[in-house]
Amino acid sequence: MKRLLKPLLGIGTLLLIALQFIPRDHNEAGNTAVNAIDRVYKIPANVSVILKRSCYDCHSDQTDYPWYARLQPVRLMMDRHVRNGKAELNFNTFGTYTARKQRSKLRAIGQSLEEGSMPLSSYTLLHRNAILSQTEKAQLMNWVKQTSDSL
């Protein structure tokens, strides 16, 4: 058993080093897009802060990568989260959605807040500041309802 441990550790270390060369996605657009939700709809400052802190990393083109995102396989997992999140909802392209799709996305935001399914627990495990308080959820829900009613 001891004879196998050393080669296995060596292979594991080489594999981990090789993983570091896998190219990563870049989701760090510097400017706010013309069709971003805050350019299309009025968002109160307190709601904007909540959205940027708890939602934008996965649902916009402006991911704020922590230091450990430079390490594989963490980066691969984060890239997958961001791709899936943006495929579902991208706040930077919200203005390009049809009115029907915008209402649908706003309704989905409200439902996920009621169910407590967003932000994902796998995300808040490492991003503790993304956890929403009851007050913040209520603020988001009010904004979602007001914005949805205006469509």
Side-chain angles (χ1 to χ4, degrees), residues 51-148:
L51 288 173
K52 288 180 179 171
R53 187 192 70 224
S54 299
C55 309
Y56 270 40
D57 276 352
C58 295
H59 295 286
S60 78
D61 297 331
Q62 299 161 329
T63 301
D64 183 21
Y65 291 101
W67 65 268
Y68 50 83
R70 295 174 192 262
L71 303 173
Q72 299 290 9
V74 173
R75 185 56 184 251
L76 288 173
M77 292 187 292
M78 286 189 71
D79 288 345
R80 190 185 66 215
H81 265 267
V82 171
R83 274 193 306 274
N84 292 342
K86 285 174 56 176
E88 189 64 37
L89 168 67
N90 186 344
F91 286 111
N92 284 99
T93 59
F94 196 84
T96 63
Y97 298 167
T98 64
R100 181 179 175 178
K101 187 173 181 179
Q102 289 178 357
R103 274 192 300 275
S104 172
K105 295 300 178 187
L106 289 170
R107 192 174 349 160
I109 291 170
Q111 286 175 344
S112 68
L113 288 170
E114 285 176 357
E115 296 168 355
S117 58
M118 284 286 166
L120 295 175
S121 57
S122 60
Y123 180 74
T124 57
L125 184 69
L126 293 175
H127 300 88
R128 305 301 292 170
N129 65 338
I131 296 173
L132 299 171
S133 69
Q134 290 303 318
T135 304
E136 292 171 330
K137 283 182 183 180
Q139 291 172 337
L140 281 175
M141 291 291 288
N142 285 338
W143 171 76
V144 163
K145 182 171 179 2
Q146 288 172 355
T147 305
S148 186

